């Protein structure tokens, strides 16, 4: 069962494209978030990406994976959606199964653990890996809500993050909100800018909301 789960979560292992990437490619308006450039992929790195749901964390990670696949073998990249597991023990078993297929101790594996805050005591899985030297040649990126910082979960890894970064993903600013649609200069009439701003306030700056701006494209 673990292998089946891993293959479903990592379609590039069997030469299939990822659904998040396909949906992104089908969008009329595309952008790649700048925070992706801050993620450290050097061994050893433990990155934390924090932010509310629907701000584009998962899509961003999948776009990064698509980029990495151009220069790394598919089996060297593993993505796990922690939200599908009942507890951290189930997650640990899946990771252990993956380690059985890890080729060579010196291979640089890049791991993405998405939405870890859906599991209580998720941190136990990563601490065991780090303390056992299983990931010294790897890079790990963990995504979750800002509660990781509030609850102090990140502090559990003080001195264990290597070259990793703590990255906070924010909602789109008004400037970003309209730039996504090709508006680079504020040369619109006041009434049109006001309409855009009212829509921005209504959608609260969530990245997924830009598709509702279609009617403003010809302002």
């Amino acid at each position: 069962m673990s292998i089946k789960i891993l293959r479903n979560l990592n379609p590039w292992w069997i030469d299939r494209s990822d659904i998040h990437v396909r949906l992104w490619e089908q969008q009329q308006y595309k952008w790649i978030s700048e925070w992706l450039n801050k993620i450290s992929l050097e061994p050893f790195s433990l990155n934390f990406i924090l932010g509310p749901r629907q701000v584009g964390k998962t899509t961003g990670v999948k776009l990064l994976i698509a980029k990495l696949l151009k220069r790394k073998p598919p089996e060297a990249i593993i993505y796990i959606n922690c939200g599908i597991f009942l507890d951290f023990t189930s997650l640990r078993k899946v990771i252990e199964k993956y380690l059985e297929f890890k080729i060579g101790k010196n291979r640089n594996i890049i791991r993405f653990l998405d939405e870890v805050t859906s599991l209580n005591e998720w941190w136990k899985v990563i601490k065991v890996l780090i303390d056992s030297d299983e990931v010294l040649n790897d890079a790990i990126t963990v995504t979750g809500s800002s509660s990781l910082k509030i609850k102090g979960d990140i502090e559990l890894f003080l001195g264990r993050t290597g070259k990793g970064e703590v990255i906070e993903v924010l909602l789109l600013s008004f400037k970003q909100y309209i730039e996504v649609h090709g508006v680079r200069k504020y040369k619109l009439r006041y009434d049109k800018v006001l309409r855009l701003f009212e829509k921005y306030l209504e959608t609260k700056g969530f990245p997924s909301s830009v598709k509702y701006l279609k009617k403003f494209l010809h302002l």
Side-chain angles (χ1 to χ4, degrees), residues 43 72-77 98 101-111 134-139:
K72 292 186 69 68
E75 66 274 13
I77 302 172
Y98 172 74
F101 295 89
K102 184 177 177 181
I103 304 174
K105 292 295 183 180
N106 294 320
R107 166 166 285 186
N108 172 218
I109 304 296
I110 300 179
R111 310 161 190 261
E134 286 284 357
V135 295
L136 287 181
N137 298 301
D138 301 347

Side-chain angles (χ1 to χ4, degrees), residues 12-56:
W12 46 89
W13 289 0
I14 52 177
D15 199 27
R16 287 170 46 200
S17 61
D18 180 82
I19 186 171
H20 288 88
V21 175
R22 292 201 305 270
L23 291 174
W24 181 84
E25 290 175 341
Q26 292 170 8
Q27 292 178 7
Q28 185 174 3
Y29 305 99
K30 307 178 183 68
W31 77 99
I32 298 179
S33 301
E34 294 181 358
W35 57 263
L36 289 174
N37 297 323
K38 300 178 182 179
I39 298 175
S40 173
L41 300 175
E42 297 183 48
F44 163 71
S45 295
L46 174 58
N47 303 285
F48 291 95
I49 302 176
L50 314 179
R53 289 183 178 274
Q54 302 301 316
V55 293

Side-chain angles (χ1 to χ4, degrees), residues 32 39 49 62 95 136 140 158 186 189 192 195:
I32 298 179
I39 298 175
I49 302 176
K62 293 296 185 68
I95 292 179
L136 287 181
I140 303 175
L158 288 178
Y186 296 95
R189 292 206 323 260
K192 294 178 179 179
R195 287 168 58 197

